[in-house]
Amino acid sequence: MIARASREIASGMVVNLGIGLPTKVIDHLPADFPVCLHTENGLTGIGPTLPPDQADRNLIDAGGAYVSTVPGSAFFDSATSFAMVRSGRLDLTMLGAFEVSSQGDLANWKIPGKFSPGVGGGIELAQKARRVVVLTTHTDRAGNPKLKDECTLPLTARGCVSRIFTEMAVIDVTPKGYALVEIAEGISLAEVREATGAPLTIPDTTRPVF
């Protein structure tokens, strides 16, 4: 899933990788790939994540992972970082999710009854990035679909998600709801349908496998 999602990033993009699964995308990009990665805590030009014994402990991403720099990296305060977000300079943001609706609504910040530090920067990223994609498991730990007709959890933003990457499939959010784009190797169409909590359009053409 993460390797497949990394191919969504094109040369020359400015990309934000959200907390959780998206931060792992960096490890699937070639070392010399020409992309500007952004983290909302104040860094552009992010290199590979590092183990603690090799890391500069002053350098972390928004999720607290140790990261490295690349030639041209820049540091700045949170106000400047979010000015970049709000002014529409991000070509793409990759976010995690608790739920996504078939209209592209995103819920990724709070499960009632459980601790949450707040909605954070996700609300800005989801509304202001030029394209928003989600990396998430297809179901929660209890086996319930995360891809639903309507979100039941508090929303981060409405109508923002364009594409969803899970361990089972790549699914687009279209004006008519969910549409299957690719399916994971070894996963059947019936399994994807059963794990998806809303109607899923299946193309008539051969489905690519990742």
Side-chain angles (χ1 to χ4, degrees):
M1 165 180 51
I2 297 170
R4 170 59 187 88
S6 71
R7 304 205 305 269
E8 195 79 358
I9 299 175
S11 173
M13 278 186 167
V14 180
V15 180
N16 175 278
L17 301 178
I19 294 171
L21 289 173
T23 60
K24 300 180 183 300
V25 168
I26 190 171
D27 297 322
H28 294 269
L29 296 173
D32 59 349
F33 190 74
V35 63
C36 180
L37 297 178
H38 167 274
T39 179
E40 57 265 36
N41 59 320
L43 172 64
T44 53
I46 303 171
T49 54
L50 297 174
D53 61 334
Q54 298 178 25
D56 177 343
R57 298 200 174 191
N58 293 306
L59 295 181
I60 59 171
D61 63 19
Y66 295 120
V67 295
S68 56
T69 57
V70 296
S73 293
F75 302 93
F76 34 83
D77 60 20
S78 291
T80 301
S81 183
F82 279 97
M84 295 172 63
V85 175
R86 293 166 185 161
S87 58
R89 285 175 165 80
L90 297 183
D91 296 300
L92 175 70
T93 186
M94 295 183 162
L95 300 174
F98 296 141
E99 292 179 345
V100 181
S101 82
S102 58
Q103 294 81 46
D105 302 335
L106 173 65
N108 77 345
W109 73 278
K110 184 175 180 63
I111 297 176
K114 295 187 177 182
F115 172 77
S116 169
V119 68
I123 193 169
E124 306 269 9
L125 295 164
Q127 294 184 68
K128 299 301 185 181
R130 296 173 188 171
R131 179 171 168 82
V132 178
V133 302
V134 160
L135 281 73
T136 186
T137 54
H138 214 98
T139 62
D140 63 21
R141 293 178 182 177
N144 301 307
K146 287 188 172 184
L147 282 62
K148 300 187 167 192
D149 196 27
E150 297 283 349
C151 292
T152 60
L153 297 174
L155 293 183
T156 306
R158 293 187 179 276
C160 60
V161 178
S162 298
R163 175 167 284 187
I164 304 162
F165 297 90
T166 79
E167 77 282 12
M168 301 181 77
V170 179
I171 294 175
D172 276 350
V173 178
T174 77
K176 295 183 179 180
Y178 293 130
L180 182 68
V181 178
E182 299 177 21
I183 194 167
E185 185 177 358
I187 299 295
S188 70
L189 182 56
E191 288 174 312
V192 177
R193 282 190 187 276
E194 183 179 357
T196 305
L200 179 65
T201 300
I202 308 300
D204 294 331
T205 57
T206 302
R207 293 175 297 278
V209 175
F210 68 94

